[in-house]
Amino acid sequence: MNESPPIALTIAGSDPSGGAGLQADLKTFHTLGVYGASVVTLLTVQNTVGVQAVHCLPPELVSSQLEAVCADLSIQAAKTGALGNADTIEQVASFVGETSFPLIVDPVMISKHGHAIIDDTAVEILQRELMPHATLVTPNRHEAERLTGIAIEGPDSLDHACRSLLDSGAQSVLVKARFADRMLDCYTDHDGSDTFETPRQISSRTHGSGCVLSAAITALHASGQSLHQSIRLARDFVAQRIASASDIGKGIQPLNLLPNGHHVSTKPSQKKGL
């Protein structure tokens, strides 16, 4: 009998264009050798150009999905993405509070195109109810500013925001900040802080990059990597997948999430038959 792969769970919204949300999460899990399960929280009408509509699923349907998946599968790690509204966040928080697997919370609040995903009430519930269950919270700069009220303008304010988020109950925090010429991500837990710095990639192929980062951390952690090593490897993974991405769509394009990191040619072979 073949050995079972690690299993990771994404609790997130759907992107029908496939570049972000649970579709990107599942592709990332698969590429990193992890079996992916998913709980759908909301449906979007979107593509690489923008988000046209968001429809939240009934919270009880989200709970039923969680119960079905977790009653059957042995989840090694899970992540949340867009949760939609306060009622759904409360349901998810109540459920994960009774579980033991690591939870990565990606507090998705706004799309890459600037479309708001959750309102202020939902943000408050996320902070109060869900973040205390988080092994790691992974906001970008703008999400961290909304969660803390701190304007992140450089390394000092970035560190201040991380510590403020840690005080909200999460076990650890990774705030992703983009400045003029560099990416500066600050990791903080109760033992200290660490900074990951890389040159900024100028690219239009970043649709879903935040989803992919949190999904990669989840997959790597489910595979047995330490949380810190999972973050380091996931950052490298995202950078490579942006650099190798192709033109898909007419707007902000998705990362390359094909297994092995390359595209398979579908053009007919030019070789003649025997």
Side-chain angles (χ1 to χ4, degrees):
M1 182 180 294
N2 293 331
E3 183 178 352
S4 298
I7 301 174
L9 170 66
T10 175
I11 308 165
S14 168
D15 171 8
S17 70
L22 68 88
Q23 286 87 345
D25 294 342
L26 291 173
K27 291 175 186 179
T28 302
F29 293 166
H30 178 71
T31 298
L32 291 171
V34 172
Y35 181 90
S38 62
V39 166
V40 187
T41 58
L42 57 87
L43 305 177
T44 67
V45 178
Q46 69 170 297
N47 51 29
T48 66
V49 177
V51 178
Q52 290 79 51
V54 176
H55 175 74
C56 295
L57 296 187
E60 60 272 18
L61 182 56
V62 175
S63 290
S64 295
Q65 292 178 77
L66 279 167
E67 291 167 3
V69 170
C70 293
D72 185 38
L73 305 183
S74 178
I75 306 298
Q76 271 79 56
K79 65 153 288 188
T80 63
L83 297 177
N85 57 37
D87 289 342
T88 295
I89 294 171
E90 286 184 325
Q91 293 275 9
V92 171
S94 176
F95 185 89
V96 298
E98 301 299 320
T99 63
S100 58
F101 49 70
L103 179 69
I104 313 302
V105 173
D106 185 7
V108 179
M109 299 179 187
I110 190 167
S111 76
K112 192 75 72 177
H113 309 91
H115 189 284
I117 301 294
I118 61 176
D119 61 22
D120 290 340
T121 300
V123 172
E124 293 174 8
I125 297 297
L126 186 147
Q127 286 180 284
R128 187 173 71 244
E129 303 291 339
L130 184 61
M131 284 176 54
H133 298 303
T135 305
L136 175 71
V137 180
T138 64
N140 61 31
R141 176 180 179 176
H142 301 297
E143 291 161 348
E145 288 178 336
R146 188 174 178 187
L147 286 166
T148 65
I150 298 169
I152 300 175
E153 299 173 342
D156 289 343
S157 53
L158 178 59
D159 182 70
H160 185 199
C162 278
R163 295 187 179 282
S164 177
L165 287 167
L166 196 66
D167 289 341
S168 69
Q171 295 177 33
S172 61
V173 177
L174 178 72
V175 176
K176 306 161 291 183
R178 182 178 67 190
F179 297 103
D181 59 349
R182 58 180 175 159
M183 299 296 297
L184 191 63
D185 298 349
C186 180
Y187 172 77
T188 302
D189 60 21
H190 294 286
D191 294 323
S193 299
D194 193 8
T195 300
F196 302 91
E197 183 173 353
T198 53
R200 179 183 172 188
Q201 286 180 279
I202 306 299
S203 176
S204 64
R205 298 162 180 164
T206 58
H207 179 58
S209 57
C211 302
V212 173
L213 178 67
S214 57
I217 294 170
T218 305
L220 290 161
H221 200 35
S223 299
Q225 297 285 350
S226 70
L227 185 59
H228 192 273
Q229 182 69 353
S230 295
I231 293 168
R232 186 177 299 279
L233 292 172
R235 292 183 79 258
D236 291 343
F237 176 84
V238 170
Q240 293 164 3
R241 296 308 171 122
I242 291 174
S244 65
S246 298
D247 291 334
I248 296 177
K250 301 174 183 177
I252 302 173
Q253 298 159 332
L255 285 64
N256 173 17
L257 294 177
L258 290 174
N260 303 319
H262 61 77
H263 296 280
V264 177
S265 175
T266 57
K267 294 181 180 179
S269 172
Q270 297 302 311
K271 293 183 179 179
K272 295 183 181 296
L274 295 175

